[in-house]
Amino acid sequence: MLNQINISKSKPSHQILLPNYKPFIVGTGGNACFAVTPKFKSVRKFENIRVGQVSRTIKAAQTSNENSTTSTTSVVVKITVLKTLGEVLHVELVAANSDTGSKKPSVKGFVHKTDKYEEVDNKISYEFDLKIPNDFGEVGAIKVENLHHTKMFMENIVIDQKGLFGSPINITCNSWIHSNSDDKEPRIFFVDKSYLPSQTPSGLISYREKELQIVRGDGTGERKIFERIYDYDVYNDLGDPDSSDDLWRPVLGGKERPYPRRCRTGRARSKIDPLSESRSMNVYVPIDEAFSKVKLITFGTKTIWSFLHKLLPRIESSSDNDVGFPNFTAIDNLYSQGVQLPASTNKSTINLRDILPRLVKAYDRLQFDKPELIKRDTFSWLKDEEFARQTLAGLNPCCIQLVTELPLKSKLDPKVYGPAESAITKELIEQEIRGFTTLENALEQKKLFILDYHDLFLPYVTKVREIEGTTLYGSRTLFYLMPSGTLKPLAIELTRPPIDGKPQWKEVFQPSWEASDLWLWRLAKAHVLAHDSGYHQLVSHWLRTHCCVEPYIIATNRHLSAMHPIHRLLHPHLRYTMQINALARMHLINVDGIIEKSFFSHKYSIEISSVVYDKLWQFNLQALPADLINRGMAVKDSKAPHGLKLTIEDYPYANDGLLIWDAIKKWVTDYVTRYYPEANLVQSDNELQAWWTEIRTVGHGDKKDESWWPVLETPEDLIGILTNMIWVASGHHAAVNFGQYDFAGYFPNRPTIARTNMPTEDPNDSEKEEFLKRPEEFLLKCFPSQVQATLVMGILDVLSSHSQDEEYLGQTIQPYWKKDEYINAIFEQFSGRLKEIEGIIDARNADSSLKNRFGAGVVPYQLLKPFSEEGVTGMGVPNSISI
């Protein structure tokens, strides 16, 4: 016999009899007919699929044999995609269970665009009816093929039985789907219900395993743009040895230069260096890591792309790279008058004023908005108290550490680098703290703090000084905690190792009222600020967030099924990061990129981050409480808030960060214990164990033998690991990223390079005379050149911006959780707590007793306020590293 299947939109108008062994539907809104799958090239992005069924499990009338008539139930399938050209889809429902001993009948259909489709907010919804045999059982997934020639972004699918048999079934997609002429394998999307591997319905087990096999790939071949394969590789694509020997850069990753792994692209090797990958301006990332359509427009095309491809070349040609600013008025003119750009040789019709309105105020004129720091106090950058305050409440507040012993000593080999003991003596320190305390009391009472870039940078001094237009020292900067709770700078020590037959040189500079010493102090601060700017960008920002998170993304997709509850927990915090990292490898951290052109470390920049990864990076210390304890900035105290007593009570980054940390941990705890009430469920979860093993042994494989890696045996272990990851991707990244323009947009406050040596190091008569007669000009020559400063200011403006579709921590529940009452309840608590934290931070910024965040001309500390508007705001904690 033949099954009778209804094919229509909202009102069935035609029926067709189809053979029982291969039922399918063609829904066109008009006549239904037999059809052969069209061979169109097509790709669509599916966001969410929702399937309604009979009471979750459809009660079926048993069929005696294939020729018997099977009773059916009508369901409505609604598919939502972002608007694109052409709409031809083929779908197939997948039964959750296959325990009846017989193969489930296929439920398939073609979906065509008709004049009756619904279009709202640039989204298209298709709705059509189909009949599901009553013995089909619970729907567990849906297969989708895109039969058109362009890719499609599918948002969601809903299967609804119009309320007759229970609530609809939702399938969240949020995925790009390429044409079936490119990707032969149909995409499968699982229903929004989460399952541990051991709990997977029988009909979905093979699909779950196959999906993971697909995204793992086989580790061979060059990746194609339509693929979803996640695999690992070393950082061997930053140089360009085929163009010039000078453009070679070492491979990062391996025993010699340990480093996290990136996503493998499989591009051809360099012709000159077989260890390096050839350069390309199209770097592969798995298709679902690409920016959403909104973010692609607002971020990719309109900002980064336009800045790098349209504006940057014109900035570089506007002046000789070595020309500095003649006076401070010329710096001020960047904000008041702007810079006339050379005429573009590009015939493009793109209007930069429309695309980069914050930067291009008029045709061919680059003009910057005043950063918040200078808006509030024009001379704040000169003040020692602001210099010190920013170590606690500025752009890089995660480097200052407690001094526990004196004298300070280097751990480097004195035979190579000179005497190890610091020139900051007891007498010098006591000279500065006289009237407050003794040196012994200062140490005992934890009053001395340091920014220590001595041992890290000293081995690179000779190398960097071989490069024209830059210089380097090892540096130490000492601070004293005043009774007011603010820091007072005591001394800066700059050190040069033995070089060119000359012995080690080191000198200590101190605040002074005497004219010459005051200008020497300002020059020394410029060098330290360049060191801190470089460390911030290369380590606190790039290494600790972007770079170290990429292996988590790769492992999550390779080993945790899309239906795994931990995959769904992590997904919003891993979104867009691989795409932005690929852009960074193309334009920011690559050979001759913005970092190399504008920072003191030049071609050694990313290599320095490898040294830090090797010597200092530990997974367990990325947790905020552990980091604070490790730097001596806190001690455990069960009676104190957050279980920690801060060494400096008014430490805005730590105070606000711990609020965010605790909120994240509470949310993660409530979520994890829902799925893992017992330790054996963690231990027996093969996907989870494979995920954590691969992060440790492959993604961060150069550190696989370290003893500090957490074990994963209990729910508490898992909670700690996940809280750590989410904090780094959200709170830590927000703290070191979104204040970049406010604090460094006026570059004298945070220069990225010091171009001249101190005038007291091997001085000649002409340098002495120049310094004594025109110390301001000497300082301006030390600062970045006009091109360097303008490049950095421009990119920091772009990187400090929130996009239109920014997703903030705790703001919106993920669609796949909306039907789960428990998850809704705990997310509502999480969201509510973050709103409370906003109020707490506002109150702290209005508290006149907190001198590190309140005062005349002081920029309040808002970087960890959870929410923000679009643009450069200096606040907001997005879910993920999305810029």
Side-chain angles (χ1 to χ4, degrees):
M1 294 180 64
L2 296 176
N3 284 338
Q4 197 173 59
I5 299 181
N6 180 43
I7 302 172
S8 72
K9 284 224 163 186
S10 57
K11 293 184 179 180
S13 57
H14 293 276
Q15 293 181 335
I16 185 166
L17 297 180
L18 300 177
N20 185 48
Y21 63 86
K22 194 175 182 180
F24 70 99
I25 311 168
V26 181
T28 63
N31 292 333
C33 60
F34 287 102
V36 177
T37 303
K39 296 298 181 184
F40 299 125
K41 270 187 165 183
S42 176
V43 182
R44 283 306 174 114
K45 183 169 184 180
F46 294 72
E47 282 187 3
N48 171 1
I49 300 174
R50 189 173 143 196
V51 180
Q53 63 177 25
V54 182
S55 302
R56 287 290 184 183
T57 303
I58 299 175
K59 300 298 182 181
Q62 295 296 322
T63 339
S64 57
N65 56 58
E66 283 191 357
N67 294 322
S68 63
T69 301
T70 303
S71 60
T72 62
T73 301
S74 177
V75 300
V76 177
V77 178
K78 184 176 181 179
I79 300 176
T80 303
V81 303
L82 293 188
K83 186 176 180 181
T84 52
L85 296 175
E87 289 80 29
V88 183
L89 306 172
H90 181 260
V91 300
E92 177 182 353
L93 300 186
V94 176
N97 293 296
S98 59
D99 53 359
T100 60
S102 60
K103 185 177 180 180
K104 298 286 185 181
S106 297
V107 179
K108 304 178 180 179
F110 292 109
V111 186
H112 295 267
K113 173 183 174 182
T114 74
D115 294 335
K116 297 180 181 179
Y117 69 83
E118 176 186 357
E119 182 178 335
V120 180
D121 295 332
N122 206 37
K123 298 176 183 179
I124 298 172
S125 293
Y126 308 93
E127 188 171 301
F128 63 102
D129 291 358
L130 58 82
K131 299 281 188 179
I132 297 181
N134 281 356
D135 62 352
F136 189 78
E138 183 177 0
V139 175
I142 189 167
K143 292 183 181 180
V144 181
E145 288 184 86
N146 176 12
L147 307 180
H148 194 59
H149 62 276
T150 58
K151 68 180 180 180
M152 170 188 293
F153 186 81
M154 180 168 283
E155 188 172 88
N156 62 67
I157 301 173
V158 179
I159 304 178
D160 192 355
Q161 290 182 341
K162 301 180 181 179
L164 296 177
F165 303 98
S167 62
I169 296 177
N170 296 283
I171 303 178
T172 302
C173 306
N174 284 325
S175 179
W176 290 100
I177 300 184
H178 272 270
S179 166
N180 69 338
S181 62
D182 289 328
D183 191 355
K184 305 296 184 185
E185 191 72 33
R187 291 294 305 278
I188 188 164
F189 297 100
F190 299 106
V191 297
D192 284 355
K193 185 176 180 181
S194 297
Y195 296 98
L196 298 180
S198 61
Q199 300 165 350
T200 309
S202 58
L204 303 181
I205 292 174
S206 62
Y207 290 105
R208 181 172 187 148
E209 294 172 350
K210 185 176 182 180
E211 263 293 283
L212 290 174
Q213 290 171 1
I214 290 171
V215 298
R216 283 197 288 264
D218 61 6
T220 64
E222 182 173 356
R223 299 276 64 84
K224 306 297 190 298
I225 190 173
F226 58 83
E227 291 179 326
R228 299 182 292 126
I229 294 176
Y230 295 77
D231 203 356
Y232 300 94
D233 207 344
V234 293
Y235 278 76
N236 61 354
D237 63 340
L238 301 181
D240 189 10
D242 290 345
S243 296
S244 168
D245 289 344
D246 292 337
L247 300 182
W248 174 87
R249 295 295 179 268
V251 174
L252 302 184
K255 187 174 182 180
E256 186 176 350
R257 295 182 181 87
Y259 217 56
R261 297 302 189 260
R262 63 167 175 90
C263 184
R264 179 184 177 275
T265 68
R267 292 200 305 269
R269 296 290 172 147
S270 159
K271 297 175 183 177
I272 301 299
D273 177 18
L275 297 179
S276 296
E277 195 171 77
S278 58
R279 289 288 295 168
S280 173
M281 286 297 99
N282 295 304
V283 175
Y284 165 83
V285 294
I287 185 62
D288 283 341
E289 301 300 329
F291 293 142
S292 71
K293 193 137 187 169
V294 174
K295 200 170 186 78
L296 187 65
I297 293 170
T298 60
F299 176 75
T301 301
K302 284 191 174 180
T303 54
I304 279 279
W305 188 92
S306 296
F307 179 83
L308 295 171
H309 292 273
K310 301 295 181 184
L311 191 55
L312 186 148
R314 296 172 69 182
I315 293 174
E316 292 181 312
S317 63
S318 64
S319 171
D320 188 300
N321 190 54
D322 295 330
V323 175
F325 288 88
N327 48 55
F328 280 92
T329 300
I331 297 174
D332 294 338
N333 286 342
L334 292 173
Y335 312 99
S336 60
Q337 298 179 18
V339 179
Q340 186 67 37
L341 295 170
S344 175
T345 58
N346 193 310
K347 303 302 181 183
S348 171
T349 59
I350 293 176
N351 187 336
L352 286 176
R353 186 179 179 184
D354 293 338
I355 298 172
L356 296 165
R358 274 183 55 89
L359 297 177
V360 183
K361 298 291 194 299
Y363 182 73
D364 284 342
R365 180 166 290 277
L366 178 68
Q367 185 176 342
F368 295 93
D369 287 350
K370 271 193 175 184
E372 190 67 21
L373 182 79
I374 301 305
K375 281 183 184 177
R376 289 176 175 263
D377 184 348
T378 303
F379 302 106
S380 58
W381 69 278
L382 273 171
K383 298 176 180 178
D384 289 348
E385 55 267 34
E386 181 62 19
F387 168 59
R389 188 188 77 86
Q390 288 182 28
T391 65
L392 302 173
L395 188 54
N396 192 31
C398 45
C399 289
I400 191 166
Q401 53 188 311
L402 179 70
V403 175
T404 57
E405 62 180 3
L406 289 169
L408 302 169
K409 288 186 178 181
S410 170
K411 296 179 181 178
L412 298 174
D413 185 353
K415 295 179 182 179
V416 177
Y417 299 104
E421 189 165 314
S422 169
I424 301 177
T425 63
K426 174 182 179 180
E427 291 72 26
L428 285 173
I429 297 172
E430 289 189 331
Q431 176 184 323
E432 293 295 326
I433 65 174
R434 186 179 297 121
F436 293 106
T437 189
T438 64
L439 178 58
E440 290 74 15
N441 286 339
L443 283 172
E444 183 181 348
Q445 296 169 10
K446 299 183 178 180
K447 299 291 186 180
L448 293 177
F449 299 86
I450 190 171
L451 277 182
D452 191 350
Y453 298 128
H454 183 276
D455 284 11
L456 173 61
F457 291 150
L458 201 63
Y460 282 90
V461 169
T462 302
K463 298 177 184 179
V464 167
R465 288 189 175 203
E466 292 173 351
I467 302 168
E468 187 176 350
T470 185
T471 192
L472 183 59
Y473 295 98
S475 70
R476 297 183 177 106
T477 306
L478 200 64
F479 301 90
Y480 174 72
L481 181 62
M482 299 288 286
S484 62
T486 60
L487 290 175
K488 168 185 168 65
L490 300 182
I492 291 173
E493 179 185 34
L494 299 179
T495 304
R496 181 205 68 198
I499 188 173
D500 297 332
K502 293 179 284 190
Q504 181 196 70
W505 174 89
K506 64 177 64 169
E507 187 170 347
V508 178
F509 303 90
Q510 294 178 272
S512 175
W513 294 101
E514 193 275 324
S516 295
D517 288 344
L518 173 62
W519 279 102
L520 287 172
W521 170 251
R522 288 171 176 169
L523 283 164
K525 279 202 301 183
H527 282 272
V528 168
L529 287 166
H531 301 167
D532 193 59
S533 293
Y535 191 92
H536 160 261
Q537 205 63 263
L538 298 172
V539 179
S540 301
H541 187 194
W542 164 255
L543 175 67
R544 290 184 63 181
T545 65
H546 291 262
C547 186
C548 285
V549 165
E550 186 151 339
Y552 310 156
I553 303 169
I554 298 172
T556 297
N557 285 278
R558 284 168 57 86
H559 290 290
L560 299 181
S561 166
M563 69 170 75
H564 197 293
I566 302 306
H567 183 120
R568 285 177 166 156
L569 175 66
L570 285 175
H571 176 73
H573 305 291
L574 307 179
R575 189 181 184 207
Y576 299 142
T577 303
M578 289 181 71
Q579 178 78 77
I580 198 68
N581 286 1
L583 283 172
R585 301 207 311 274
M586 285 190 283
H587 300 292
L588 300 178
I589 64 171
N590 60 299
V591 61
D592 210 28
I594 289 178
I595 296 293
E596 288 198 359
K597 289 176 179 176
S598 306
F599 282 71
F600 70 85
S601 42
H602 200 265
K603 67 180 182 180
Y604 300 105
S605 296
I606 301 302
E607 183 180 329
I608 287 173
S609 73
S610 171
V611 173
V612 175
Y613 179 74
D614 181 27
K615 297 183 180 301
L616 300 177
W617 188 88
Q618 296 183 197
F619 178 85
N620 59 319
L621 295 183
Q622 304 316 299
L624 178 59
D627 170 55
L628 293 171
I629 292 169
N630 182 61
R631 291 189 283 119
M633 303 304 290
V635 293
K636 289 184 179 181
D637 184 345
S638 59
K639 297 180 181 179
H642 319 290
L644 292 179
K645 179 177 174 57
L646 295 178
T647 310
I648 300 177
E649 291 183 8
D650 182 14
Y651 185 0
Y653 164 71
N655 293 129
D656 296 356
L658 287 169
L659 292 174
I660 301 292
W661 170 271
D662 281 357
I664 293 171
K665 187 173 183 180
K666 175 66 165 57
W667 152 245
V668 171
T669 300
D670 291 342
Y671 185 92
V672 166
T673 52
R674 164 76 179 280
Y675 296 98
Y676 297 95
E678 299 175 356
N680 69 300
L681 291 172
V682 173
Q683 297 160 13
S684 63
D685 187 332
N686 61 303
E687 289 184 5
L688 190 70
Q689 294 297 329
W691 166 78
W692 183 234
T693 297
E694 189 168 276
I695 286 173
R696 292 183 292 107
T697 63
V698 182
H700 287 276
D702 294 335
K703 287 181 168 282
K704 65 176 185 279
D705 296 324
E706 299 287 356
S707 61
W708 40 254
W709 282 107
V711 297
L712 181 52
E713 296 177 349
T714 67
E716 290 73 25
D717 296 336
L718 180 57
I719 289 163
I721 290 167
L722 295 173
T723 303
N724 186 328
M725 291 179 175
I726 294 171
W727 158 255
V728 170
S730 57
H732 179 92
H733 180 260
V736 299
N737 183 76
F738 291 104
Q740 290 191 87
Y741 190 74
D742 280 345
F743 285 103
Y746 185 76
F747 70 85
N749 185 62
R750 289 190 67 79
T752 57
I753 186 172
R755 298 191 295 152
T756 59
N757 293 338
M758 292 294 293
T760 53
E761 181 199 343
D762 302 328
N764 56 48
D765 291 341
S766 62
E767 284 181 342
K768 280 184 179 179
E769 184 177 359
E770 179 184 2
F771 171 69
L772 290 172
K773 287 186 176 180
R774 294 179 295 276
E776 181 179 306
E777 291 183 16
F778 207 93
L779 179 61
L780 286 164
K781 286 183 179 179
C782 184
F783 280 157
S785 70
Q786 293 186 36
V787 169
Q788 289 171 329
T790 310
L791 281 177
V792 171
M793 290 165 63
I795 196 64
L796 293 186
D797 184 281
V798 171
L799 296 179
S800 299
S801 298
H802 290 293
S803 69
Q804 178 184 336
D805 71 337
E806 197 81 87
E807 296 181 8
Y808 295 98
L809 191 66
Q811 183 181 44
T812 306
I813 193 168
Q814 296 300 306
Y816 42 72
W817 288 326
K818 286 183 177 178
K819 293 292 183 180
D820 189 310
E821 292 183 3
Y822 174 82
I823 302 298
N824 266 268
I826 62 172
F827 185 86
E828 192 65 29
Q829 291 176 3
F830 179 47
S831 182
R833 177 55 180 162
L834 290 168
K835 292 181 175 71
E836 289 177 3
I837 289 171
E838 281 231 315
I840 293 171
I841 292 174
D842 285 339
R844 287 173 173 175
N845 287 328
D847 187 342
S848 61
S849 69
L850 301 177
K851 305 298 184 184
N852 290 320
R853 59 196 311 157
F854 177 92
V858 171
V859 177
Y861 191 73
Q862 302 184 102
L863 290 171
L864 288 169
K865 284 188 67 174
F867 310 111
S868 174
E869 297 178 351
E870 179 184 356
V872 178
T873 65
M875 66 181 75
V877 181
N879 272 327
S880 66
I881 304 165
S882 58
I883 194 166

